[in-house]
Amino acid sequence: MVLQVQTSTYEAKTQEIAKQLLAATQENRSFFSSLRDQMRWDDKLLAWAMSNPGLRVQLFRFIDTLPALHSKSEVASHLQEYLGDESVELPAALKGMLNFANPDSMPGQVAATTVGTAVETLAHKYISGENIKQVIKTVERLRKEKMAFTIDLLGEAVITEVEAQSYLERYLELIQQLVEASKNWPAIPAIDEADGELIPKVQVSVKLTAFYSQFDPLDAKGSEERVSDRIRILLRRAKELGAAVHFDMEQYGYKDITLSILKKLLLEEEFRQRTDVGMTIQAYLRDSEQDTKDLISWLKQRGYPLTIRLVKGAYWDQETIKAAQKHWPQPVYNDKAASDANFETITQLLLENHQYVYSAIGSHNVRSHSRAIAIAESLNVPRRRFELQVLYGMGDKVAKALVDRGYRVRVYCPYGELLPGMAYLIRRLLENTANSSFLRQNLENRPIEELLAPPIPKEEKNSLTPNSSLLTPNSHFLGAADTDYAEEEMTRKSAQAFQSVRQQLGKTYLPLINGEYVNPPEFVDSLNPSNFSEVVGKVGLISVEQAEQAMQAAKAAFPAWKKTPAKQRADILRKAGDLMELRRAELSAWMVLEVGKPVKEADGEVSEAIDFCRYYADEMERLDEGLNYDIPGETNRYIYQPRGIAVVISPWNFPLAIACGMTVAALVSGNCTLLKPAETSSVITAKLTEILIEAGIPKGVFQYVPGKGSQVGAYLVNHSDTHVIAFTGSQEVGCRIYADAATLKPGQKHMKRVIAEMGGKNAIIVDESADLDQAVVGVVQSAFGYSGQKCSAASRVIVLEPIYDIFVQRLVEATKSLNIGEAELPSTQVGPVIDANARDRIREYIEKGKVEAKVALELSAPEQGYFIGPVIFSEVSPNAVISQEEIFGPVLAVIRVKDFQEALAVANGTNYALTGGLYSRTPSHIQQAQAEFEVGNLYINRNITGAIVGRQPFGGFKLSGVGSKAGGPDYLLQFLEPRAVTENIQRQGFAPIEGAD
């Protein structure tokens, strides 16, 4: 009851203060309201963006591209490409300006200059300076207006250790120069002191993740050590100079580890008494209220206050999209009113605990600021413990009105070159032009009652289920969610799984024939490629005689399995998928130890195996319905039946997902299946065998038959009772299987069906309009993830001449920053290659590369496993051996080309057509690549590995393979024979006609 009275008192006061503030801001309306009078180009662009959603999207995409364009002709042609799109309704002034025939023409140059200048002017509204000199001028102007400041350094994403070190050094330099300048600043009591206490004149805001390029919650300990070392240097220097440091909050995935690192660090003896440090809470996060309560409890224990800056949060679109794509719970409120209400709840929480915390309330919403003032005044919060914050260029009028009321206002001032500042600019523009934005609603003269009404959330506060409404309507298949290692509980589970699996190392795994585990004539050790003295398991290899027994068992089991209803077969697959989900962490650990796949990639592979089970179960039920082509007097049914016996020959590089996908596709289609895995990954397939048996696959229907490829594999491929061969592996073996299967054997009464995926020589094109941060990160992941041992991995990157040198330089630095080590270590990004043969073969290719091209980077690697450090060759000829042959290791060829036409020709100039990528922000290049880039899977502006079932069905053509795409709607058809059954239903000249009496 007390709380309700209190809240209603706050509400009356909030309304009163808000009306006064609004009146003050509306006396002299901002530039939007005077658009009709002054009509400057930068203002026009924003006004148009507000009124036309189609134009808003294309305009912001163009602005995002602008920094990469180096000539007026490029600017003019991109302007036409983006804004000339059919989806965009252009205002007359813009249409007239874009009506030039040639980007090099005078009208084209004028258009480029006009829009370029407008965007630059726009950027200067939100970015406080391009260098320290300009920033000092800006903050001196702000101080004259009685406003404090905090400076944030804009920059490219920190993707290399050189950049992380540079980030620290640039902040040390910034603090030094600001403090130097501040010696000449007159004291301003309103912002430099409160309650008899001096407040640092200089404050900077930093991002924790920028202090370490490989920052990752999975490697919490390693990330904490590397980041903390650099933060200590910064905090010590800030103290010497008398400056304050504030830590910003970034994406949700980094939140918990950021708070954890700062809490530990600020309890260290050296820093425990510091009160000139701050942290940030984002109110749009569903767990932010709990985080605030936890921080307040921690501050009580610490005994010295710190600042907590409360903001709404700047990554809403990114967070919602990421959660939808990953099938994770939505971390943010989907309803703006819920964020606003939460903001007010946390404001109250912070101010009610003012003896432990300095509150900094950051907003551009007059109601939010008024609410904070109402609570602060009601509780008599001391002035030192409360301030209001706005972003530079966003809440100027509000800030002035707040200063006039006697409050301390701090302006958050980003600074840096406009080029890396574009991402920041676009976030500000999105905020300014969004329908729900307070600034926009205020400018549109919405009624005051509406603007200042208390926020009423539409949704349940704790709806933490994955948001399927954000997926497209036709994507009915919802895949398994990968593990979110940002949750501490998940990293703990992973560690426990490793402990449990390590206790089972060295066990013996027997082949499964006709439902029984049988003793084979020979065993082979499966070794941990990170440490080849460690035996993961002893695997029994069957003889040719045992292969024949398996074949006879499959023949005997086939008639009953063929008749088993499709729904029953599909349910067995679903059960297998559920069992894998239960054993997820354990299966990941087996993959890490047997094939050297880093933890996150192994976890993604478990998701893929689960998805294959569930997707193919759904698909079989769909196909089982058949099709009706009835006409009066005749029924026509189109139905499918299984082919017979399938032999699955699976690879070691996706030991669970590909083995599972090919096997369950054959099984659910009603075929009896023999799985012969690669020798180096037979323990994982033994685990798959356990799961399929537990799920209820009858004996003889599925058999696990590890054996030598040259003997057992060849015997099964050539067997007259084999109907389907599903193979993933090298081109050489794939072509041999294809040839053998084409030969009719004695007693064979059918043609064999071959499904073969045989690798690639995959290329990524990077053109001059590409976002280089994105391109470098994507190329590094695509080339060196799992040490380049994916069929989809990038082994060529084709770069246009204007950006070739800078791209190679950043690529080399980013690759140098990778951690190479045992796959089990959470910090590892590049683990071992699979075995000694692979290591030696890759080394041979590296030697050939040294003859053909220039070594841009060759990293050393540990000795105790089959390690090869990443190698980058530059100035590589498109026809060099390393440009043409599949290497299957961490070796990347960087090829220089003159133009986009040549880039496509080079990309298409191999025998393969599996995956390819393009980094570009030029719409015509994207369109041309979609039509002409010869690959089965083309990825634009993202990495080229990690295809997801039902989303990116996987497979190629040319010599990359034969057959339909795995995880796609046609895949099961390869395991089925279609039949048409026609019945004449007329009797003595009459037939039942639907709809007739």
Side-chain angles (χ1 to χ4, degrees):
M1 187 61 209
V2 178
L3 186 68
Q4 271 182 335
V5 172
Q6 184 101 350
T7 305
S8 59
T9 315
Y10 290 158
E11 185 54 39
K13 202 161 185 174
T14 301
Q15 291 289 336
E16 182 194 335
I17 295 166
K19 281 172 184 162
Q20 291 165 4
L21 284 175
L22 262 189
T25 63
Q26 289 181 339
E27 279 164 20
N28 179 9
R29 294 299 298 266
S30 77
F31 61 85
F32 285 105
S33 58
S34 55
L35 273 175
R36 283 157 208 82
D37 312 327
Q38 56 186 61
M39 286 312 246
R40 278 172 34 185
W41 269 100
D42 52 315
D43 297 341
K44 283 184 197 174
L45 289 178
L46 268 190
W48 289 334
M50 280 190 186
S51 60
N52 181 334
L55 174 59
R56 178 174 177 243
V57 169
Q58 291 298 91
L59 181 63
F60 290 177
R61 282 182 173 170
F62 166 74
I63 291 172
D64 174 52
T65 313
L66 197 56
L69 308 177
H70 299 296
S71 71
K72 286 185 181 171
S73 305
E74 282 179 44
V75 173
S77 69
H78 281 77
L79 195 56
Q80 243 177 5
E81 285 192 37
Y82 275 103
L83 303 187
D85 190 86
E86 287 169 11
S87 67
V88 180
E89 284 176 51
L90 288 180
L94 205 47
K95 200 177 271 180
M97 194 176 74
L98 289 180
N99 194 17
F100 50 85
N102 184 335
D104 294 318
S105 64
M106 184 54 81
Q109 305 286 297
V110 169
T113 308
T114 307
V115 174
T117 309
V119 173
E120 205 163 305
T121 310
L122 204 50
H124 281 298
K125 282 189 170 132
Y126 304 109
I127 295 171
S128 65
E130 290 194 63
N131 53 45
I132 294 182
K133 209 167 156 186
Q134 289 178 7
V135 169
I136 289 173
K137 260 173 97 168
T138 300
V139 300
E140 286 175 349
R141 176 173 55 77
L142 288 172
R143 285 180 60 81
K144 280 189 186 125
E145 293 168 15
K146 296 186 184 169
M147 293 183 202
F149 65 86
T150 184
I151 307 286
D152 164 50
L153 180 58
L154 291 172
E156 296 154 289
V158 171
I159 55 182
T160 74
E161 277 307 276
V162 171
E163 288 163 356
Q165 184 57 32
S166 157
Y167 185 80
L168 170 64
E169 286 163 8
R170 285 164 73 195
Y171 262 110
L172 295 173
E173 169 75 1
L174 173 67
I175 294 172
Q176 172 88 40
Q177 295 217 25
L178 284 169
V179 168
E180 204 53 50
S182 73
K183 290 174 182 168
N184 303 318
W185 297 343
I188 298 166
I191 54 176
D192 294 336
E193 57 184 82
D195 309 327
E197 200 183 316
L198 286 178
I199 299 170
K201 287 180 183 174
V202 171
Q203 187 190 103
V204 294
S205 287
V206 301
K207 290 175 177 55
L208 198 81
T209 60
F211 290 104
Y212 177 41
S213 65
Q214 309 304 312
F215 192 91
D216 183 357
L218 175 62
D219 178 28
K221 191 165 174 290
S223 297
E224 182 185 329
E225 283 168 12
R226 300 293 286 273
V227 162
S228 300
D229 286 347
R230 285 180 171 142
I231 291 173
R232 288 187 190 98
I233 294 169
L234 182 75
L235 289 178
R236 284 172 195 139
R237 187 70 181 132
K239 186 181 184 186
E240 283 167 24
L241 295 169
V245 177
H246 195 97
F247 291 93
D248 281 331
M249 192 56 80
E250 302 169 82
Q251 289 85 347
Y252 179 69
Y254 298 137
K255 170 181 70 73
D256 289 349
I257 184 174
T258 297
L259 291 173
S260 160
I261 289 172
L262 291 174
K263 282 176 179 176
K264 276 188 198 167
L265 195 77
L266 294 168
L267 279 183
E268 288 176 11
E269 203 51 51
E270 182 182 356
F271 304 112
R272 183 168 189 151
Q273 294 181 25
R274 294 280 287 271
T275 58
D276 55 354
V277 179
M279 302 189 207
T280 305
I281 289 283
Q282 297 161 311
Y284 69 176
L285 294 179
R286 294 169 189 270
D287 44 15
S288 52
E289 184 183 348
Q290 189 54 50
D291 287 337
T292 308
K293 288 176 177 170
D294 294 345
L295 269 180
I296 290 166
S297 306
W298 172 78
L299 282 167
K300 288 177 182 175
Q301 170 208 339
R302 182 176 185 261
Y304 297 90
L306 292 170
T307 299
I308 294 182
R309 176 193 293 153
L310 177 64
V311 295
K312 297 276 168 64
Y315 304 94
W316 188 88
D317 299 69
Q318 202 179 332
E319 297 291 9
T320 40
I321 288 167
K322 183 178 180 179
Q325 286 184 347
K326 296 243 175 215
H327 311 306
W328 287 345
Q330 281 291 342
V332 291
Y333 291 110
N334 295 334
D335 168 32
K336 186 178 181 297
S339 294
D340 288 345
N342 193 43
F343 190 91
E344 294 190 5
T345 302
I346 297 173
T347 299
Q348 186 169 335
L349 192 58
L350 291 172
L351 291 169
E352 284 172 351
N353 286 280
H354 59 79
Q355 63 271 49
Y356 310 109
V357 61
Y358 300 148
S359 304
I361 308 299
S363 178
H364 306 112
N365 183 324
V366 168
R367 179 183 164 90
S368 300
H369 280 310
S370 306
R371 184 72 171 188
I373 294 169
I375 298 169
E377 288 183 355
S378 304
L379 299 174
N380 289 320
V381 175
R383 285 295 160 100
R384 170 69 187 96
R385 295 178 172 258
F386 167 59
E387 72 180 30
L388 301 160
Q389 297 195 351
V390 295
L391 288 173
Y392 182 77
M394 290 281 279
D396 303 357
K397 294 279 188 306
V398 178
K400 189 179 180 325
L402 292 168
V403 169
D404 292 346
R405 283 188 70 107
Y407 288 98
R408 184 167 73 253
V409 173
R410 188 175 303 278
V411 182
Y412 184 94
C413 300
Y415 104 90
E417 293 170 41
L418 295 187
L419 189 144
M422 279 301 160
Y424 174 84
L425 171 63
I426 285 171
R427 282 210 299 275
R428 295 291 75 81
L429 294 178
L430 283 168
E431 201 172 326
N432 253 330
T433 57
N435 287 327
S436 56
S437 147
F438 180 88
L439 290 170
R440 175 172 177 173
Q441 290 175 353
N442 186 15
L443 297 171
E444 288 171 348
N445 284 326
R446 297 273 177 95
I448 283 183
E449 295 68 33
E450 187 185 326
L451 279 176
L452 301 181
I456 298 165
K458 291 181 207 158
E459 60 177 326
E460 278 301 303
K461 212 168 177 188
N462 294 320
S463 67
L464 277 182
T465 50
N467 191 341
S468 54
S469 66
L470 288 165
L471 297 171
T472 52
N474 59 356
S475 59
H476 64 279
F477 176 73
L478 203 63
D482 291 347
T483 301
D484 182 359
Y485 290 105
E487 292 179 27
E488 216 177 314
E489 171 60 22
M490 293 306 167
T491 49
R492 211 173 16 254
K493 257 190 183 168
S494 176
Q496 285 165 353
F498 274 107
Q499 276 183 332
S500 151
V501 165
R502 282 204 160 281
Q503 287 164 2
Q504 302 169 54
L505 293 185
K507 279 189 168 180
T508 298
Y509 297 90
L510 299 175
L512 180 82
I513 295 177
N514 201 17
E516 306 292 331
Y517 285 109
V518 299
N519 280 313
E522 85 176 284
F523 287 87
V524 65
D525 287 347
S526 181
L527 306 177
N528 176 355
S530 292
N531 175 6
F532 42 65
S533 60
E534 189 167 66
V535 176
V536 175
K538 292 178 182 303
V539 178
L541 302 182
I542 67 167
S543 63
V544 168
E545 291 72 32
Q546 287 174 315
E548 180 57 35
Q549 288 165 20
M551 194 52 94
Q552 293 310 318
K555 269 176 85 172
F558 178 62
W561 185 239
K562 179 183 178 181
K563 286 180 189 154
T564 303
K567 169 85 173 72
Q568 203 174 318
R569 298 195 302 251
D571 284 343
I572 292 174
L573 261 64
R574 292 188 181 103
K575 174 85 188 290
D578 294 347
L579 291 169
M580 285 183 208
E581 190 62 83
L582 288 173
R583 293 176 64 173
R584 175 186 281 276
E586 176 217 341
L587 290 169
S588 295
W590 280 113
M591 272 187 273
V592 171
L593 295 173
E594 191 179 27
V595 298
K597 186 167 279 200
V599 179
K600 268 190 193 164
E601 303 212 34
D603 177 74
E605 182 167 343
V606 180
S607 295
E608 189 180 358
I610 295 166
D611 287 351
F612 277 135
C613 291
R614 293 172 180 169
Y615 180 78
Y616 290 148
D618 291 354
E619 280 295 293
M620 190 59 230
E621 287 179 350
R622 174 180 70 83
L623 292 171
D624 188 52
E625 289 172 10
L627 293 162
N628 283 348
Y629 298 121
D630 296 349
I631 56 170
E634 183 177 281
T635 60
N636 290 288
R637 294 277 293 133
Y638 188 79
I639 55 175
Y640 298 97
Q641 68 180 29
R643 288 178 177 271
I645 294 170
V647 171
V648 171
I649 300 172
S650 66
W652 51 262
N653 65 330
F654 282 86
L656 180 66
I658 294 182
C660 175
M662 297 194 294
T663 300
V664 299
L667 289 169
V668 81
S669 317
N671 302 285
C672 287
T673 306
L674 285 74
L675 168 61
K676 193 211 86 63
E679 286 173 43
T680 40
S681 59
S682 297
V683 172
I684 293 154
T685 37
K687 297 291 159 192
L688 171 63
T689 300
E690 293 169 11
I691 286 167
L692 290 173
I693 292 169
E694 192 182 339
I697 291 280
K699 71 176 196 171
V701 169
F702 166 75
Q703 297 173 90
Y704 165 64
V705 289
K708 287 207 169 2
S710 54
Q711 294 162 17
V712 169
Y715 181 77
L716 293 173
V717 164
N718 284 290
H719 202 288
S720 59
D721 288 318
T722 297
H723 289 76
V724 185
I725 300 148
F727 166 79
T728 300
S730 71
Q731 185 192 309
E732 183 195 353
V733 176
C735 289
R736 190 161 59 239
I737 288 172
Y738 202 67
D740 287 348
T743 310
L744 208 59
K745 303 297 182 300
Q748 186 178 321
K749 296 178 180 150
H750 54 268
M751 296 305 292
K752 293 175 183 172
R753 185 67 186 262
V754 177
I755 304 152
E757 199 267 89
M758 304 186 293
K761 189 67 189 168
N762 311 308
I764 294 176
I765 296 174
V766 183
D767 79 5
E768 62 271 67
S769 69
D771 177 331
L772 284 194
D773 284 347
Q774 205 185 34
V776 168
V777 170
V779 168
V780 168
Q781 285 173 349
S782 303
F784 304 122
Y786 192 35
S787 306
Q789 299 177 110
K790 300 177 183 180
C791 3
S792 53
S795 57
R796 299 180 295 154
V797 57
I798 300 162
V799 186
L800 269 68
E801 197 149 32
I803 53 158
Y804 185 90
D805 295 333
I806 181 70
F807 177 82
V808 171
Q809 183 193 328
R810 291 199 74 200
L811 176 69
V812 164
E813 286 303 332
T815 307
K816 267 187 198 170
S817 306
L818 296 173
N819 296 317
I820 303 165
E822 293 183 31
E824 191 180 348
L825 300 173
S827 59
T828 294
Q829 283 117 347
V830 181
V833 297
I834 189 67
D835 60 16
N837 289 342
R839 180 194 59 199
D840 298 344
R841 192 191 69 252
I842 296 163
R843 282 180 180 164
E844 281 172 26
Y845 273 111
I846 292 169
E847 290 314 307
K848 284 180 192 164
K850 288 177 179 175
V851 174
E852 297 179 313
K854 190 173 149 195
V855 178
L857 177 70
E858 183 173 16
L859 288 180
S860 59
E863 287 297 312
Q864 81 284 9
Y866 303 119
F867 289 96
I868 288 191
V871 179
I872 297 172
F873 289 104
S874 63
E875 308 301 348
V876 187
S877 152
N879 301 316
V881 170
I882 57 168
S883 300
Q884 289 292 320
E885 294 181 15
E886 187 176 41
I887 300 171
F888 229 62
V891 180
L892 181 63
V894 191
I895 301 167
R896 185 194 293 263
V897 291
K898 286 192 174 57
D899 55 31
F900 192 67
Q901 226 31 62
E902 189 189 347
L904 272 177
V906 169
N908 292 337
T910 73
N911 297 334
Y912 296 96
L914 188 53
T915 62
L918 168 64
Y919 282 92
S920 171
R921 289 179 288 192
T922 302
S924 57
H925 286 180
I926 291 173
Q927 224 174 341
Q928 194 181 348
Q930 287 171 345
E932 297 174 22
F933 202 148
E934 293 174 2
V935 287
N937 286 60
L938 175 62
Y939 298 94
I940 297 164
N941 291 325
R942 54 151 284 178
N943 62 330
I944 67 168
T945 60
I948 291 174
V949 173
R951 202 186 288 178
Q952 296 116 6
F954 186 78
F957 48 96
K958 287 167 66 173
L959 287 183
S960 282
V962 57
S964 201
K965 286 172 160 293
D970 318 316
Y971 191 71
L972 291 190
L973 296 177
Q974 304 169 114
F975 297 89
L976 295 162
E977 299 278 16
R979 295 176 61 213
V981 179
T982 298
E983 183 187 356
N984 168 16
I985 53 169
Q986 292 187 80
R987 291 285 189 279
Q988 305 301 331
F990 82 92
I993 298 173
E994 216 169 295
D997 289 333

